Amino acid sequence: MSIAETHELAVVGIADLTPLMRRITVTGDSLATFECVPGQDVVLHLTDDSGNGVRRRYTVRNLDNAGRRFDLDFVLHGHGPGANWAATVAVGSTLQVFGPRGKVAMSDARWQLFLGDESALPGVAEMAAAMPASSEGVAIIEVQDANERQPIPGPLDVRWVFRDGAPAGTTSLLDESLRDLSVPDIDRHAFVFGESRVVRRLRDTLRSRGLGAAELTAKGYWNLGRAMRD
Ligand SMILES: Cc1cc2nc3c(=O)[nH]c(=O)nc-3n(C[C@H](O)[C@H](O)[C@H](O)COP(=O)(O)OP(=O)(O)OC[C@H]3O[C@@H](n4cnc5c(N)ncnc54)[C@H](O)[C@@H]3O)c2cc1C
């Protein structure tokens, strides 16, 4: 894995994957040697409405060293410097990022579970694509509605749950799906990413169902009603 460092990048592509998910493709000479493991992220240096510097984390997707580029997929949730930057940036704009970041490690467990919301989708897709061919598992992803579904490569049985108008981070849809899910007794690993309180709840449920610390990776990606802190 490469040492985390600062990269000066330029935006070379903007595409809407779904109504609420925008892909920004960035390029820079230093990406020729950039390395990261699936699910790792970079820290974007952005400015808020008052012009103050802020940092926000986004998952690296589709790293292409030969092309010196990767993609960043943004949830267009409508508030905050990260979502606003993605909603308004133009091809040719520049961006400074620091990375790779993140302690996420792939699992070699035969059965793997992924639980998360839209913010987790980029990481889940990257990790699912890299799962060992001998493994299997389930991804349960909460999104706004059916238009927000995206292809998730790899061996997972992907199940979508829809908020249908409820704000992100406020439902118990993932909890309910987990309640009905049968989890193998051994050779298993669960990954949980998304809104922090939802993640804590799901992590506690998985613990109560017997998953040990080594079988569980849980990380809050954002906080309902509160901006991310640097
Ligand atoms: C390791 C890691 C990887 C991540 N990867 C991605 C990624 O690939 N794509 C991605 O979109 N996000 C990703 N996130 C989440 C992203 O960093 C947060 O959503 C962050 O808060 C966005 O910053 P912002 O400036 O848009 O909003 P902030 O200024 O942090 O928050 C402003 C308001 O928006 C709300 N808000 C923040 N995020 C969301 C959301 N997803 N849905 C609804 N409301 C929200 C907050 O509750 C707050 O009220 C990742 C986070 C981590 C820690």
Side-chain angles (χ1 to χ4, degrees), residues 21 39-41 46 54 56-61 72-77 79-84 101-102 104 117-120 122-123 168 219-229:
M21 181 77 82
Q40 276 196 303
D41 61 286
L46 302 170
V54 294
R56 295 289 185 269
R57 297 176 69 171
Y58 286 87
T59 306
V60 175
R61 290 216 62 188
L72 299 166
D73 293 350
F74 292 78
V75 180
L76 298 176
H77 58 81
H79 310 277
N84 291 345
R101 288 291 313 275
V104 176
D117 60 21
E118 286 95 337
S119 69
K219 175 150 183 67
Y221 271 16
W222 61 282
N223 302 308
L224 181 63
R226 188 155 54 83
M228 285 304 273
R229 270 201 303 271

mmCIF file of all heavy atoms in Angstrom, residues 21 39-41 46 54 56-61 72-77 79-84 101-102 104 117-120 122-123 168 219-229, ligand 1:
data_model
loop_
_atom_site.group_PDB
_atom_site.id
_atom_site.type_symbol
_atom_site.label_atom_id
_atom_site.label_comp_id
_atom_site.label_asym_id
_atom_site.label_seq_id
_atom_site.Cartn_x
_atom_site.Cartn_y
_atom_site.Cartn_z
ATOM 1 N N MET A 21 -26.749 9.996 -6.815
ATOM 2 C CA MET A 21 -25.331 9.599 -6.714
ATOM 3 C C MET A 21 -24.566 10.093 -7.936
ATOM 4 O O MET A 21 -24.859 9.692 -9.059
ATOM 5 C CB MET A 21 -25.220 8.078 -6.607
ATOM 6 C CG MET A 21 -23.809 7.550 -6.468
ATOM 7 S SD MET A 21 -23.101 7.747 -4.814
ATOM 8 C CE MET A 21 -23.799 6.335 -3.954
ATOM 9 N N GLY A 39 -12.203 -0.449 -0.408
ATOM 10 C CA GLY A 39 -12.885 0.124 0.750
ATOM 11 C C GLY A 39 -12.129 1.278 1.367
ATOM 12 O O GLY A 39 -12.673 1.983 2.216
ATOM 13 N N GLN A 40 -10.881 1.479 0.962
ATOM 14 C CA GLN A 40 -10.152 2.635 1.498
ATOM 15 C C GLN A 40 -10.630 3.922 0.827
ATOM 16 O O GLN A 40 -11.255 3.899 -0.236
ATOM 17 C CB GLN A 40 -8.649 2.454 1.314
ATOM 18 C CG GLN A 40 -8.029 1.621 2.428
ATOM 19 C CD GLN A 40 -6.528 1.763 2.451
ATOM 20 O OE1 GLN A 40 -5.853 1.504 1.461
ATOM 21 N NE2 GLN A 40 -5.993 2.161 3.584
ATOM 22 N N ASP A 41 -10.274 5.040 1.451
ATOM 23 C CA ASP A 41 -10.804 6.329 1.020
ATOM 24 C C ASP A 41 -9.701 7.364 0.929
ATOM 25 O O ASP A 41 -8.545 7.091 1.260
ATOM 26 C CB ASP A 41 -11.867 6.787 2.022
ATOM 27 C CG ASP A 41 -11.299 6.969 3.420
ATOM 28 O OD1 ASP A 41 -11.021 5.961 4.093
ATOM 29 O OD2 ASP A 41 -11.100 8.132 3.832
ATOM 30 N N LEU A 46 -11.709 20.708 1.147
ATOM 31 C CA LEU A 46 -12.764 21.526 0.544
ATOM 32 C C LEU A 46 -12.930 22.801 1.367
ATOM 33 O O LEU A 46 -12.259 22.980 2.387
ATOM 34 C CB LEU A 46 -14.082 20.731 0.528
ATOM 35 C CG LEU A 46 -14.038 19.387 -0.223
ATOM 36 C CD1 LEU A 46 -15.303 18.582 0.026
ATOM 37 C CD2 LEU A 46 -13.852 19.608 -1.723
ATOM 38 N N VAL A 54 -12.274 22.634 5.118
ATOM 39 C CA VAL A 54 -12.844 21.470 5.804
ATOM 40 C C VAL A 54 -12.365 20.220 5.067
ATOM 41 O O VAL A 54 -11.945 20.288 3.919
ATOM 42 C CB VAL A 54 -14.394 21.480 5.819
ATOM 43 C CG1 VAL A 54 -14.933 22.626 6.637
ATOM 44 C CG2 VAL A 54 -14.952 21.520 4.405
ATOM 45 N N ARG A 56 -13.333 16.113 4.086
ATOM 46 C CA ARG A 56 -14.387 15.113 3.995
ATOM 47 C C ARG A 56 -13.820 13.852 3.344
ATOM 48 O O ARG A 56 -13.003 13.939 2.432
ATOM 49 C CB ARG A 56 -15.556 15.627 3.132
ATOM 50 C CG ARG A 56 -16.296 16.819 3.716
ATOM 51 C CD ARG A 56 -17.114 16.432 4.927
ATOM 52 N NE ARG A 56 -17.931 17.527 5.429
ATOM 53 C CZ ARG A 56 -17.543 18.404 6.362
ATOM 54 N NH1 ARG A 56 -16.329 18.318 6.888
ATOM 55 N NH2 ARG A 56 -18.364 19.343 6.768
ATOM 56 N N ARG A 57 -14.307 12.690 3.778
ATOM 57 C CA ARG A 57 -13.749 11.417 3.302
ATOM 58 C C ARG A 57 -14.660 10.746 2.273
ATOM 59 O O ARG A 57 -15.871 10.658 2.475
ATOM 60 C CB ARG A 57 -13.526 10.487 4.500
ATOM 61 C CG ARG A 57 -12.511 11.075 5.457
ATOM 62 C CD ARG A 57 -12.342 10.234 6.689
ATOM 63 N NE ARG A 57 -11.701 8.955 6.390
ATOM 64 C CZ ARG A 57 -11.294 8.127 7.338
ATOM 65 N NH1 ARG A 57 -11.454 8.420 8.611
ATOM 66 N NH2 ARG A 57 -10.709 6.986 7.002
ATOM 67 N N TYR A 58 -14.050 10.286 1.198
ATOM 68 C CA TYR A 58 -14.791 9.592 0.134
ATOM 69 C C TYR A 58 -13.995 8.370 -0.335
ATOM 70 O O TYR A 58 -12.763 8.414 -0.443
ATOM 71 C CB TYR A 58 -15.079 10.553 -1.036
ATOM 72 C CG TYR A 58 -16.167 11.544 -0.672
ATOM 73 C CD1 TYR A 58 -15.861 12.735 -0.025
ATOM 74 C CD2 TYR A 58 -17.506 11.246 -0.892
ATOM 75 C CE1 TYR A 58 -16.848 13.616 0.372
ATOM 76 C CE2 TYR A 58 -18.505 12.121 -0.500
ATOM 77 C CZ TYR A 58 -18.175 13.307 0.133
ATOM 78 O OH TYR A 58 -19.170 14.170 0.537
ATOM 79 N N THR A 59 -14.726 7.320 -0.643
ATOM 80 C CA THR A 59 -14.128 6.034 -1.009
ATOM 81 C C THR A 59 -13.536 6.077 -2.413
ATOM 82 O O THR A 59 -14.171 6.613 -3.334
ATOM 83 C CB THR A 59 -15.218 4.943 -0.935
ATOM 84 O OG1 THR A 59 -15.820 4.994 0.363
ATOM 85 C CG2 THR A 59 -14.643 3.557 -1.200
ATOM 86 N N VAL A 60 -12.378 5.485 -2.557
ATOM 87 C CA VAL A 60 -11.743 5.391 -3.879
ATOM 88 C C VAL A 60 -12.430 4.285 -4.681
ATOM 89 O O VAL A 60 -12.579 3.159 -4.195
ATOM 90 C CB VAL A 60 -10.239 5.057 -3.733
ATOM 91 C CG1 VAL A 60 -9.600 4.832 -5.102
ATOM 92 C CG2 VAL A 60 -9.524 6.159 -2.965
ATOM 93 N N ARG A 61 -12.834 4.623 -5.901
ATOM 94 C CA ARG A 61 -13.456 3.619 -6.775
ATOM 95 C C ARG A 61 -12.707 3.540 -8.101
ATOM 96 O O ARG A 61 -12.241 4.536 -8.632
ATOM 97 C CB ARG A 61 -14.914 3.983 -7.074
ATOM 98 C CG ARG A 61 -15.812 3.848 -5.868
ATOM 99 C CD ARG A 61 -17.187 3.351 -6.251
ATOM 100 N NE ARG A 61 -17.141 2.027 -6.856
ATOM 101 C CZ ARG A 61 -18.182 1.428 -7.416
ATOM 102 N NH1 ARG A 61 -19.334 2.045 -7.450
ATOM 103 N NH2 ARG A 61 -18.068 0.222 -7.940
ATOM 104 N N LEU A 72 -14.745 9.055 -7.611
ATOM 105 C CA LEU A 72 -15.325 9.306 -6.295
ATOM 106 C C LEU A 72 -16.834 9.422 -6.509
ATOM 107 O O LEU A 72 -17.275 10.196 -7.364
ATOM 108 C CB LEU A 72 -14.772 10.609 -5.707
ATOM 109 C CG LEU A 72 -13.244 10.645 -5.491
ATOM 110 C CD1 LEU A 72 -12.774 12.078 -5.234
ATOM 111 C CD2 LEU A 72 -12.852 9.734 -4.336
ATOM 112 N N ASP A 73 -17.612 8.640 -5.769
ATOM 113 C CA ASP A 73 -19.072 8.651 -5.929
ATOM 114 C C ASP A 73 -19.696 9.386 -4.745
ATOM 115 O O ASP A 73 -19.554 8.951 -3.595
ATOM 116 C CB ASP A 73 -19.612 7.222 -6.000
ATOM 117 C CG ASP A 73 -19.157 6.498 -7.261
ATOM 118 O OD1 ASP A 73 -18.590 7.146 -8.169
ATOM 119 O OD2 ASP A 73 -19.370 5.272 -7.338
ATOM 120 N N PHE A 74 -20.380 10.477 -5.027
ATOM 121 C CA PHE A 74 -20.931 11.349 -3.983
ATOM 122 C C PHE A 74 -22.436 11.174 -3.842
ATOM 123 O O PHE A 74 -23.166 11.264 -4.836
ATOM 124 C CB PHE A 74 -20.694 12.825 -4.335
ATOM 125 C CG PHE A 74 -19.253 13.247 -4.291
ATOM 126 C CD1 PHE A 74 -18.391 12.926 -5.319
ATOM 127 C CD2 PHE A 74 -18.773 13.981 -3.221
ATOM 128 C CE1 PHE A 74 -17.060 13.326 -5.290
ATOM 129 C CE2 PHE A 74 -17.454 14.389 -3.184
ATOM 130 C CZ PHE A 74 -16.593 14.057 -4.208
ATOM 131 N N VAL A 75 -22.903 11.019 -2.615
ATOM 132 C CA VAL A 75 -24.336 11.117 -2.337
ATOM 133 C C VAL A 75 -24.703 12.599 -2.395
ATOM 134 O O VAL A 75 -24.120 13.425 -1.683
ATOM 135 C CB VAL A 75 -24.686 10.562 -0.933
ATOM 136 C CG1 VAL A 75 -26.188 10.685 -0.680
ATOM 137 C CG2 VAL A 75 -24.225 9.124 -0.776
ATOM 138 N N LEU A 76 -25.675 12.936 -3.243
ATOM 139 C CA LEU A 76 -26.118 14.336 -3.375
ATOM 140 C C LEU A 76 -27.231 14.587 -2.350
ATOM 141 O O LEU A 76 -28.402 14.676 -2.691
ATOM 142 C CB LEU A 76 -26.608 14.597 -4.801
ATOM 143 C CG LEU A 76 -25.549 14.413 -5.911
ATOM 144 C CD1 LEU A 76 -26.175 14.600 -7.288
ATOM 145 C CD2 LEU A 76 -24.381 15.371 -5.713
ATOM 146 N N HIS A 77 -26.842 14.660 -1.075
ATOM 147 C CA HIS A 77 -27.866 14.758 -0.024
ATOM 148 C C HIS A 77 -28.302 16.196 0.220
ATOM 149 O O HIS A 77 -29.234 16.446 0.984
ATOM 150 C CB HIS A 77 -27.370 14.096 1.270
ATOM 151 C CG HIS A 77 -26.117 14.675 1.807
ATOM 152 N ND1 HIS A 77 -26.097 15.818 2.553
ATOM 153 C CD2 HIS A 77 -24.828 14.292 1.677
ATOM 154 C CE1 HIS A 77 -24.841 16.098 2.880
ATOM 155 N NE2 HIS A 77 -24.042 15.194 2.351
ATOM 156 N N HIS A 79 -26.737 19.015 1.564
ATOM 157 C CA HIS A 79 -26.207 19.898 2.621
ATOM 158 C C HIS A 79 -24.729 19.605 2.794
ATOM 159 O O HIS A 79 -24.329 18.450 2.733
ATOM 160 C CB HIS A 79 -26.887 19.643 3.970
ATOM 161 C CG HIS A 79 -28.371 19.629 3.889
ATOM 162 N ND1 HIS A 79 -29.117 20.774 3.916
ATOM 163 C CD2 HIS A 79 -29.241 18.606 3.777
ATOM 164 C CE1 HIS A 79 -30.394 20.449 3.824
ATOM 165 N NE2 HIS A 79 -30.490 19.139 3.730
ATOM 166 N N GLY A 80 -23.952 20.622 3.085
ATOM 167 C CA GLY A 80 -22.557 20.382 3.453
ATOM 168 C C GLY A 80 -21.597 20.545 2.295
ATOM 169 O O GLY A 80 -21.966 20.399 1.126
ATOM 170 N N PRO A 81 -20.346 20.836 2.620
ATOM 171 C CA PRO A 81 -19.339 21.134 1.599
ATOM 172 C C PRO A 81 -19.086 19.987 0.624
ATOM 173 O O PRO A 81 -18.809 20.224 -0.551
ATOM 174 C CB PRO A 81 -18.079 21.419 2.429
ATOM 175 C CG PRO A 81 -18.553 21.714 3.801
ATOM 176 C CD PRO A 81 -19.844 21.004 3.986
ATOM 177 N N GLY A 82 -19.153 18.741 1.109
ATOM 178 C CA GLY A 82 -18.885 17.604 0.227
ATOM 179 C C GLY A 82 -19.959 17.466 -0.838
ATOM 180 O O GLY A 82 -19.679 17.451 -2.053
ATOM 181 N N ALA A 83 -21.206 17.387 -0.392
ATOM 182 C CA ALA A 83 -22.325 17.241 -1.331
ATOM 183 C C ALA A 83 -22.422 18.471 -2.238
ATOM 184 O O ALA A 83 -22.687 18.344 -3.442
ATOM 185 C CB ALA A 83 -23.627 17.033 -0.562
ATOM 186 N N ASN A 84 -22.184 19.655 -1.679
ATOM 187 C CA ASN A 84 -22.281 20.875 -2.492
ATOM 188 C C ASN A 84 -21.182 20.930 -3.549
ATOM 189 O O ASN A 84 -21.416 21.343 -4.689
ATOM 190 C CB ASN A 84 -22.205 22.124 -1.602
ATOM 191 C CG ASN A 84 -23.438 22.264 -0.748
ATOM 192 O OD1 ASN A 84 -24.449 21.613 -0.998
ATOM 193 N ND2 ASN A 84 -23.364 23.091 0.279
ATOM 194 N N ARG A 101 -6.542 6.544 3.001
ATOM 195 C CA ARG A 101 -6.913 6.519 4.409
ATOM 196 C C ARG A 101 -7.813 5.308 4.667
ATOM 197 O O ARG A 101 -8.354 4.712 3.761
ATOM 198 C CB ARG A 101 -7.699 7.787 4.773
ATOM 199 C CG ARG A 101 -6.875 9.054 4.832
ATOM 200 C CD ARG A 101 -5.895 9.077 5.997
ATOM 201 N NE ARG A 101 -6.519 8.672 7.264
ATOM 202 C CZ ARG A 101 -7.192 9.496 8.065
ATOM 203 N NH1 ARG A 101 -7.341 10.773 7.756
ATOM 204 N NH2 ARG A 101 -7.719 9.058 9.183
ATOM 205 N N GLY A 102 -7.990 5.006 5.957
ATOM 206 C CA GLY A 102 -8.949 3.968 6.316
ATOM 207 C C GLY A 102 -8.280 2.665 6.689
ATOM 208 O O GLY A 102 -7.313 2.254 6.064
ATOM 209 N N VAL A 104 -9.966 -0.236 6.860
ATOM 210 C CA VAL A 104 -10.804 -1.357 6.422
ATOM 211 C C VAL A 104 -9.925 -2.437 5.799
ATOM 212 O O VAL A 104 -9.049 -2.143 4.997
ATOM 213 C CB VAL A 104 -11.828 -0.890 5.376
ATOM 214 C CG1 VAL A 104 -12.632 -2.063 4.839
ATOM 215 C CG2 VAL A 104 -12.745 0.133 5.986
ATOM 216 N N ASP A 117 -26.002 2.216 3.934
ATOM 217 C CA ASP A 117 -26.853 3.113 3.149
ATOM 218 C C ASP A 117 -26.092 3.584 1.910
ATOM 219 O O ASP A 117 -25.043 3.043 1.570
ATOM 220 C CB ASP A 117 -27.338 4.285 4.016
ATOM 221 C CG ASP A 117 -26.181 5.107 4.576
ATOM 222 O OD1 ASP A 117 -25.059 5.046 4.016
ATOM 223 O OD2 ASP A 117 -26.391 5.831 5.571
ATOM 224 N N GLU A 118 -26.592 4.634 1.256
ATOM 225 C CA GLU A 118 -25.959 5.115 0.020
ATOM 226 C C GLU A 118 -24.477 5.448 0.210
ATOM 227 O O GLU A 118 -23.669 5.215 -0.689
ATOM 228 C CB GLU A 118 -26.647 6.376 -0.500
ATOM 229 C CG GLU A 118 -27.995 6.172 -1.131
ATOM 230 C CD GLU A 118 -29.127 6.405 -0.146
ATOM 231 O OE1 GLU A 118 -28.892 6.302 1.090
ATOM 232 O OE2 GLU A 118 -30.254 6.675 -0.606
ATOM 233 N N SER A 119 -24.141 6.027 1.358
ATOM 234 C CA SER A 119 -22.743 6.430 1.567
ATOM 235 C C SER A 119 -21.822 5.211 1.591
ATOM 236 O O SER A 119 -20.624 5.321 1.320
ATOM 237 C CB SER A 119 -22.599 7.236 2.865
ATOM 238 O OG SER A 119 -22.805 6.412 3.998
ATOM 239 N N ALA A 120 -22.394 4.051 1.923
ATOM 240 C CA ALA A 120 -21.615 2.813 1.992
ATOM 241 C C ALA A 120 -21.496 2.119 0.641
ATOM 242 O O ALA A 120 -20.627 1.263 0.452
ATOM 243 C CB ALA A 120 -22.283 1.853 2.981
ATOM 244 N N PRO A 122 -20.331 2.859 -2.387
ATOM 245 C CA PRO A 122 -19.044 2.789 -3.078
ATOM 246 C C PRO A 122 -18.099 1.768 -2.439
ATOM 247 O O PRO A 122 -17.450 0.981 -3.145
ATOM 248 C CB PRO A 122 -18.501 4.216 -2.967
ATOM 249 C CG PRO A 122 -19.724 5.075 -2.808
ATOM 250 C CD PRO A 122 -20.678 4.250 -1.995
ATOM 251 N N GLY A 123 -18.044 1.764 -1.113
ATOM 252 C CA GLY A 123 -17.165 0.824 -0.423
ATOM 253 C C GLY A 123 -17.637 -0.613 -0.592
ATOM 254 O O GLY A 123 -16.837 -1.520 -0.842
ATOM 255 N N ALA A 168 -32.768 9.921 5.149
ATOM 256 C CA ALA A 168 -31.684 8.971 5.421
ATOM 257 C C ALA A 168 -31.306 9.031 6.894
ATOM 258 O O ALA A 168 -31.344 10.088 7.517
ATOM 259 C CB ALA A 168 -30.474 9.325 4.562
ATOM 260 N N LYS A 219 -18.306 0.932 10.970
ATOM 261 C CA LYS A 219 -17.783 2.304 10.988
ATOM 262 C C LYS A 219 -18.876 3.294 10.610
ATOM 263 O O LYS A 219 -19.530 3.143 9.572
ATOM 264 C CB LYS A 219 -16.618 2.420 10.011
ATOM 265 C CG LYS A 219 -16.129 3.842 9.897
ATOM 266 C CD LYS A 219 -14.672 3.982 9.594
ATOM 267 C CE LYS A 219 -14.235 5.441 9.562
ATOM 268 N NZ LYS A 219 -14.291 6.111 10.855
ATOM 269 N N GLY A 220 -19.057 4.304 11.448
ATOM 270 C CA GLY A 220 -19.984 5.388 11.123
ATOM 271 C C GLY A 220 -19.372 6.269 10.046
ATOM 272 O O GLY A 220 -18.243 6.729 10.187
ATOM 273 N N TYR A 221 -20.121 6.484 8.967
ATOM 274 C CA TYR A 221 -19.627 7.299 7.847
ATOM 275 C C TYR A 221 -20.134 8.736 7.923
ATOM 276 O O TYR A 221 -19.569 9.627 7.319
ATOM 277 C CB TYR A 221 -20.070 6.678 6.522
ATOM 278 C CG TYR A 221 -19.116 5.656 5.954
ATOM 279 C CD1 TYR A 221 -18.113 5.074 6.720
ATOM 280 C CD2 TYR A 221 -19.216 5.270 4.621
ATOM 281 C CE1 TYR A 221 -17.247 4.143 6.179
ATOM 282 C CE2 TYR A 221 -18.347 4.343 4.070
ATOM 283 C CZ TYR A 221 -17.363 3.781 4.851
ATOM 284 O OH TYR A 221 -16.504 2.867 4.309
ATOM 285 N N TRP A 222 -21.245 8.966 8.608
ATOM 286 C CA TRP A 222 -21.771 10.327 8.735
ATOM 287 C C TRP A 222 -22.703 10.365 9.944
ATOM 288 O O TRP A 222 -23.103 9.315 10.451
ATOM 289 C CB TRP A 222 -22.482 10.771 7.449
ATOM 290 C CG TRP A 222 -23.674 9.963 7.019
ATOM 291 C CD1 TRP A 222 -23.654 8.748 6.391
ATOM 292 C CD2 TRP A 222 -25.065 10.291 7.189
ATOM 293 N NE1 TRP A 222 -24.938 8.302 6.159
ATOM 294 C CE2 TRP A 222 -25.823 9.240 6.630
ATOM 295 C CE3 TRP A 222 -25.733 11.381 7.747
ATOM 296 C CZ2 TRP A 222 -27.219 9.239 6.621
ATOM 297 C CZ3 TRP A 222 -27.134 11.394 7.732
ATOM 298 C CH2 TRP A 222 -27.853 10.329 7.170
ATOM 299 N N ASN A 223 -23.006 11.598 10.390
ATOM 300 C CA ASN A 223 -23.813 11.778 11.598
ATOM 301 C C ASN A 223 -25.087 12.533 11.254
ATOM 302 O O ASN A 223 -25.007 13.657 10.742
ATOM 303 C CB ASN A 223 -23.037 12.588 12.636
ATOM 304 C CG ASN A 223 -21.722 11.933 12.997
ATOM 305 O OD1 ASN A 223 -21.679 10.754 13.344
ATOM 306 N ND2 ASN A 223 -20.644 12.687 12.883
ATOM 307 N N LEU A 224 -26.221 11.942 11.549
ATOM 308 C CA LEU A 224 -27.502 12.586 11.248
ATOM 309 C C LEU A 224 -27.598 13.939 11.952
ATOM 310 O O LEU A 224 -27.412 14.039 13.162
ATOM 311 C CB LEU A 224 -28.649 11.679 11.714
ATOM 312 C CG LEU A 224 -30.060 12.185 11.447
ATOM 313 C CD1 LEU A 224 -30.325 12.304 9.953
ATOM 314 C CD2 LEU A 224 -31.091 11.268 12.091
ATOM 315 N N GLY A 225 -27.873 15.000 11.171
ATOM 316 C CA GLY A 225 -28.093 16.331 11.741
ATOM 317 C C GLY A 225 -26.829 17.046 12.168
ATOM 318 O O GLY A 225 -26.901 18.113 12.783
ATOM 319 N N ARG A 226 -25.674 16.488 11.846
ATOM 320 C CA ARG A 226 -24.424 17.087 12.309
ATOM 321 C C ARG A 226 -23.358 16.935 11.227
ATOM 322 O O ARG A 226 -23.190 15.852 10.663
ATOM 323 C CB ARG A 226 -23.979 16.370 13.580
ATOM 324 C CG ARG A 226 -22.815 16.992 14.292
ATOM 325 C CD ARG A 226 -22.832 16.619 15.787
ATOM 326 N NE ARG A 226 -22.891 15.188 16.049
ATOM 327 C CZ ARG A 226 -21.833 14.388 16.063
ATOM 328 N NH1 ARG A 226 -20.630 14.859 15.808
ATOM 329 N NH2 ARG A 226 -21.960 13.109 16.348
ATOM 330 N N ALA A 227 -22.644 18.030 10.940
ATOM 331 C CA ALA A 227 -21.568 17.966 9.948
ATOM 332 C C ALA A 227 -20.430 17.100 10.465
ATOM 333 O O ALA A 227 -20.218 17.002 11.671
ATOM 334 C CB ALA A 227 -21.053 19.375 9.665
ATOM 335 N N MET A 228 -19.708 16.477 9.539
ATOM 336 C CA MET A 228 -18.527 15.710 9.932
ATOM 337 C C MET A 228 -17.511 16.683 10.516
ATOM 338 O O MET A 228 -17.350 17.794 10.021
ATOM 339 C CB MET A 228 -17.909 15.002 8.727
ATOM 340 C CG MET A 228 -18.690 13.796 8.255
ATOM 341 S SD MET A 228 -18.978 12.560 9.531
ATOM 342 C CE MET A 228 -17.496 11.567 9.394
ATOM 343 N N ARG A 229 -16.824 16.227 11.554
ATOM 344 C CA ARG A 229 -15.748 17.045 12.131
ATOM 345 C C ARG A 229 -14.437 16.652 11.479
ATOM 346 O O ARG A 229 -14.228 15.486 11.160
ATOM 347 C CB ARG A 229 -15.658 16.790 13.643
ATOM 348 C CG ARG A 229 -16.532 17.719 14.428
ATOM 349 C CD ARG A 229 -16.050 17.794 15.864
ATOM 350 N NE ARG A 229 -16.008 16.463 16.480
ATOM 351 C CZ ARG A 229 -17.030 15.919 17.116
ATOM 352 N NH1 ARG A 229 -18.154 16.559 17.229
ATOM 353 N NH2 ARG A 229 -16.921 14.723 17.653
HETATM 354 C C1 LIG B 1 -14.219 6.080 5.353
HETATM 355 C C2 LIG B 1 -15.390 6.860 4.770
HETATM 356 C C3 LIG B 1 -15.730 6.695 3.433
HETATM 357 C C4 LIG B 1 -16.819 7.414 2.888
HETATM 358 N N1 LIG B 1 -17.130 7.247 1.560
HETATM 359 C C5 LIG B 1 -18.155 7.957 1.018
HETATM 360 C C6 LIG B 1 -18.448 7.859 -0.376
HETATM 361 O O1 LIG B 1 -17.762 7.184 -1.141
HETATM 362 N N2 LIG B 1 -19.501 8.578 -0.847
HETATM 363 C C7 LIG B 1 -20.263 9.391 -0.033
HETATM 364 O O2 LIG B 1 -21.198 10.032 -0.517
HETATM 365 N N3 LIG B 1 -20.001 9.494 1.285
HETATM 366 C C8 LIG B 1 -18.955 8.819 1.822
HETATM 367 N N4 LIG B 1 -18.661 8.948 3.151
HETATM 368 C C9 LIG B 1 -19.548 9.779 3.975
HETATM 369 C C10 LIG B 1 -19.232 11.281 3.858
HETATM 370 O O3 LIG B 1 -17.886 11.525 4.237
HETATM 371 C C11 LIG B 1 -20.201 12.013 4.809
HETATM 372 O O4 LIG B 1 -21.523 11.826 4.337
HETATM 373 C C12 LIG B 1 -19.911 13.483 4.979
HETATM 374 O O5 LIG B 1 -20.689 13.957 6.045
HETATM 375 C C13 LIG B 1 -20.251 14.288 3.746
HETATM 376 O O6 LIG B 1 -19.888 15.626 3.988
HETATM 377 P P1 LIG B 1 -20.821 16.845 3.569
HETATM 378 O O7 LIG B 1 -19.916 18.018 3.573
HETATM 379 O O8 LIG B 1 -21.573 16.496 2.329
HETATM 380 O O9 LIG B 1 -21.870 16.936 4.755
HETATM 381 P P2 LIG B 1 -21.588 17.443 6.282
HETATM 382 O O10 LIG B 1 -21.125 18.860 6.287
HETATM 383 O O11 LIG B 1 -20.715 16.450 6.966
HETATM 384 O O12 LIG B 1 -23.046 17.355 6.908
HETATM 385 C C14 LIG B 1 -24.056 18.342 6.597
HETATM 386 C C15 LIG B 1 -25.431 17.730 6.846
HETATM 387 O O13 LIG B 1 -25.644 16.693 5.887
HETATM 388 C C16 LIG B 1 -26.029 15.490 6.532
HETATM 389 N N5 LIG B 1 -25.429 14.349 5.796
HETATM 390 C C17 LIG B 1 -24.116 14.038 5.672
HETATM 391 N N6 LIG B 1 -23.950 12.931 4.913
HETATM 392 C C18 LIG B 1 -25.185 12.532 4.568
HETATM 393 C C19 LIG B 1 -25.676 11.447 3.783
HETATM 394 N N7 LIG B 1 -24.871 10.524 3.212
HETATM 395 N N8 LIG B 1 -27.009 11.336 3.609
HETATM 396 C C20 LIG B 1 -27.858 12.240 4.162
HETATM 397 N N9 LIG B 1 -27.455 13.299 4.905
HETATM 398 C C21 LIG B 1 -26.134 13.434 5.106
HETATM 399 C C22 LIG B 1 -25.493 15.593 7.964
HETATM 400 O O14 LIG B 1 -26.292 14.860 8.837
HETATM 401 C C23 LIG B 1 -25.575 17.094 8.224
HETATM 402 O O15 LIG B 1 -26.862 17.417 8.711
HETATM 403 C C24 LIG B 1 -17.575 8.277 3.705
HETATM 404 C C25 LIG B 1 -17.210 8.448 5.055
HETATM 405 C C26 LIG B 1 -16.126 7.755 5.581
HETATM 406 C C27 LIG B 1 -15.753 7.965 7.029
#
